[in-house]
């Protein structure tokens, strides 16, 4: 039970981070940004090649969906928040099915730093000092 709670909390933090950085910088395309994010996760959680590919694909999907929703529902903030929460829940579930509990736990110490870097400097797009 404790592991499941830890997984959900970590996934929620990562999802919050992803939704906070909807658009990558002008220098990086969405796939490039997703690759950079996935590399950072791979360094900390020691992802296998298969996990790396699945997480990168998940990041691309998440970033594209959040970007689409924010553009489409810009003038409907309540609906936007509800839809973003659905997207976050789906992301959390999918990430938890890809990574092991140990890998999720290994990302936990970096969660706040990663989120803070991207929330504070959204124009930079990619956190570099993880």
């Amino acid at each position: 039970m404790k592991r499941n709670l830890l997984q959900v909390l970590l996934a929620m933090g990562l999802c919050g981070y992803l939704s906070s950085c909807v658009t990558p910088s002008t220098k990086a395309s969405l796939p490039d940004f997703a690759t950079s994010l996935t590399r950072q996760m791979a360094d900390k959680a020691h992802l296998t090649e298969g996990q790396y590919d699945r997480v990168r694909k998940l990041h691309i999907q998440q970033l594209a969906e959040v970007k689409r929703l924010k553009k489409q529902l810009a003038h409907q903030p309540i609906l936007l928040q509800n839809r973003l929460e659905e997207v976050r829940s789906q992301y959390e579930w999918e990430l938890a099915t890809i990574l092991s509990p140990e890998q999720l736990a290994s990302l936990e110490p970096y969660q706040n730093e990663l989120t803070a870097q991207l929330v504070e400097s959204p124009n930079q797009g990619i956190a570099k000092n993880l």
Side-chain angles (χ1 to χ4, degrees):
M1 182 70 172
K2 203 172 191 179
R3 280 187 174 173
N4 290 341
L5 180 61
L6 176 63
Q7 286 177 335
V8 169
L9 290 175
L10 180 60
M12 286 177 65
L14 289 172
C15 188
Y17 149 73
L18 285 174
S19 65
S20 72
C21 56
V22 174
T23 56
S25 72
T26 56
K27 296 179 182 177
S29 69
L30 192 126
D32 291 341
F33 182 70
T35 297
S36 178
L37 175 61
T38 307
R39 281 186 187 146
Q40 292 174 24
M41 286 181 70
D43 289 344
K44 302 303 178 196
H46 307 290
L47 304 180
T48 66
E49 188 174 333
Q51 287 175 319
Y52 178 92
D53 291 339
R54 291 175 63 196
V55 169
R56 181 179 176 276
K57 196 177 295 185
L58 179 60
H59 286 155
I60 290 171
Q61 290 170 351
Q62 174 75 8
L63 291 167
E65 182 65 11
V66 169
K67 182 178 179 179
R68 183 188 70 77
L69 287 173
K70 285 197 171 190
K71 184 177 180 180
Q72 183 180 33
L73 301 173
H75 301 293
Q76 299 174 322
I78 295 173
L79 183 56
L80 174 62
Q81 284 306 111
N82 290 339
R83 294 296 310 275
L84 288 176
E85 188 57 40
E86 291 172 11
V87 170
R88 286 184 198 126
S89 295
Q90 182 66 26
Y91 171 80
E92 293 165 8
W93 182 83
E94 289 184 32
L95 188 64
T97 63
I98 297 169
L99 303 181
S100 70
E102 293 81 14
Q103 288 171 315
L104 288 170
S106 69
L107 291 173
E108 187 177 11
Y110 306 101
Q111 173 185 346
N112 291 336
E113 182 180 347
L114 181 60
T115 303
Q117 286 180 22
L118 289 161
V119 170
E120 291 171 11
S121 54
N123 293 333
Q124 290 180 1
I126 300 170
K128 296 180 181 173
N129 297 323
L130 239 182

